[in-house]
Amino acid sequence: MRPGYFLGCFLAVWLAAGGILIAYRILTGRISLQGLFTMDGDQFSPERLQLILVTVGLLAAYAQQALGAGLMPPVSSVVIAVFAASHAVYLGGKVAGR
């Protein structure tokens, strides 16, 4: 067994275990999601919602591309621009909300 293959398998198992642990703690209530989409605990924040949706969407698209290619492709400038625009909207909402 090649060391690189072993390390890749170990990393995949470790990340999967971490994801399972986080999901378990969210489901049992040890990690609270209360206030995830609200500002100051009571006001809905559309900026937070768009930031989470864009981040998860781009992560899923990149993971699908990486799994299809069998390697880690370079991050395109379009992805970086979308991340920057999403964060600018989020930060603009934070500044405007003050």
Side-chain angles (χ1 to χ4, degrees), residues 10-79:
F10 176 77
L11 185 60
V13 169
W14 183 352
L15 290 174
I20 290 169
L21 179 64
I22 290 171
Y24 172 75
R25 289 188 175 180
I26 288 172
L27 290 174
T28 59
R30 292 191 59 197
I31 296 177
S32 175
L33 298 180
Q34 185 177 7
L36 184 63
F37 296 118
T38 60
M39 188 179 302
D40 298 329
D42 59 352
Q43 184 181 359
F44 176 72
S45 174
E47 295 89 6
R48 288 185 181 200
L49 178 62
Q50 72 81 26
L51 182 65
I52 289 173
L53 290 177
V54 168
T55 301
V56 171
L58 288 175
L59 176 64
Y62 183 78
Q64 181 182 14
Q65 183 182 10
L67 290 173
L71 55 98
M72 297 292 287
V75 179
S76 71
S77 59
V78 173
V79 171

